[in-house]
Amino acid sequence: MKIEHKEILNKSLRISISVFLCVFLLKVLLNVNPFYAAIAAVSCLQGTIRDSFRVGIERVIGTIFGGVIGLFAIYFITTESTDFKGSFVMALSMIIIILGCTYILRKPSSNTIACIVFLGITTNMEGRDPYFWAGKRILTTIIGVIIALACNWILSGEYKKLKRKK
């Protein structure tokens, strides 16, 4: 088997096991929606543990930042963005998020996930408690990142490097 095919197969196995663990842990054991954790696991799994860790940290930062801005915006969006005011606050928030991730947090790669989390919180409330919803969203993302990092570390064999150093 070519080395390229072996790497693709290895990565697909790590992603698949990470998603399995997210779904099993959250949905089966805890009865929590595993969607955001599974997405975090898929997006964080990179070729090396160092790259996965970097992407995971940026994803968590973006998730927290988008969640905080989303909670702040909900204060102004009383009708779940179905009017001009709500639409305007959402559009303005996109600018704040992108500029905040880029210039304040210095994590421009967190822009996309921060905007997605913001939109998920502000447009998907459906009578939910916004603080609980945002907290749950952030927590499940962090769980997905941790699962992806652990799977990547173990299944890539990088844990063996730690044993050799001892």
Side-chain angles (χ1 to χ4, degrees), residues 43-63:
S43 67
C44 290
L45 250 151
Q46 304 294 310
T48 66
I49 190 70
R50 172 176 270 151
D51 290 342
S52 293
F53 187 76
R54 180 186 48 79
V55 170
I57 291 297
E58 289 172 0
R59 183 164 183 99
V60 169
I61 289 169
T63 298

Side-chain angles (χ1 to χ4, degrees), residues 58 97-98 100-103 105-113:
E58 289 172 0
I97 290 169
I98 292 167
C101 285
T102 303
Y103 297 111
L105 301 177
R106 299 193 189 281
K107 298 285 184 195
S109 56
S110 295
N111 286 338
T112 302
I113 192 58

Side-chain angles (χ1 to χ4, degrees), residues 79 148 151 161:
T79 58
C151 284
K161 294 176 184 175

Side-chain angles (χ1 to χ4, degrees), residues 14-15 17-19 21-22 37-60 141-159:
R14 288 181 279 146
I15 288 172
I17 291 172
S18 296
V19 169
L21 290 172
C22 287
I39 287 175
V42 170
S43 67
C44 290
L45 250 151
Q46 304 294 310
T48 66
I49 190 70
R50 172 176 270 151
D51 290 342
S52 293
F53 187 76
R54 180 186 48 79
V55 170
I57 291 297
E58 289 172 0
R59 183 164 183 99
V60 169
T141 295
I142 292 170
I143 290 169
V145 168
I146 290 169
I147 288 172
L149 290 174
C151 284
N152 202 16
W153 185 62
I154 292 167
L155 297 173
S156 71
E158 290 196 34
Y159 71 95

